[in-house]
Amino acid sequence: MPSDPEVDSQLRRILQSPPFAASARSAQFLRFCVEHAQSGETLELKETTIGVEVFHRPADYDPKTDSIVRVHARRVREKLAMYYRTAGADDTIRIDVPKGGYTPLIARKQRTTKEESSSLESPEVLAIPAQQTFIPAERGHA
C-alpha cells in the first residue's frame, strides 16, 4: 500500500488533470472517498453519506429517488479511466473506485517490461473461447 504522502500526491495530480479540473463535483466526490479511505473511515463511504456530505442533500436523502451519487460515481470511474489512459499512463500509483461501492482501491502499479506487457495484451494469450473444451490426450495414443 502506498504511503499517505504518495496517495496525496497522486490525488493532486488526478484532480489537476483536465477531466477532473473541469468538474468540481467529480473532484469533490473522489477527494471525499480517498480521504475517508486513508483515515480508515470506509464505513462512511455509503451512498447516503456521500449524498449528504458531498452533494449537500438533506439528512433524509433517499438514494432510491435521487441517483446523484451513482451518476457521479460512474462519471468519476470514466474520468479515472481517461486519466490513466492519458496523462497518468506512467504513474506508479493507481486510484480506482470499483463498481459496486465507493471505497477506492489504491495500489502501486506493477512495472512490466515492454515485451511482457505486449505479450499480456495479446488476445491470443488471454482469450480462450468460452465454448472450447480442452480434453487431454490419453497417454500412449497419438
Side-chain angles (χ1 to χ4, degrees), residues 3-93:
S3 67
D4 282 350
E6 290 174 309
V7 173
D8 293 341
S9 177
Q10 181 65 27
L11 180 61
R12 272 193 304 280
R13 278 192 298 280
I14 292 169
L15 296 180
Q16 291 170 356
S17 70
F20 284 92
S23 176
R25 286 276 178 98
S26 292
Q28 289 170 330
F29 179 97
L30 183 61
R31 179 183 305 279
F32 182 86
C33 292
V34 169
E35 288 176 352
H36 275 73
Q38 282 182 291
S39 64
E41 299 172 351
T42 56
L43 294 177
E44 296 296 316
L45 293 174
K46 296 184 282 189
E47 188 171 1
T48 52
T49 305
I50 295 169
V52 171
E53 297 291 325
V54 176
F55 299 105
H56 309 292
R57 294 302 193 252
D60 62 349
Y61 158 72
D62 182 5
K64 292 177 185 169
T65 60
D66 184 347
S67 63
I68 191 165
V69 176
R70 293 186 304 279
V71 167
H72 276 278
R74 181 182 47 79
R75 289 179 185 163
V76 165
R77 291 178 187 111
E78 290 169 356
K79 290 174 190 301
L80 284 168
M82 182 187 310
Y83 172 78
Y84 284 111
R85 278 193 312 268
T86 57
D90 294 326
D91 289 1
T92 58
I93 296 173

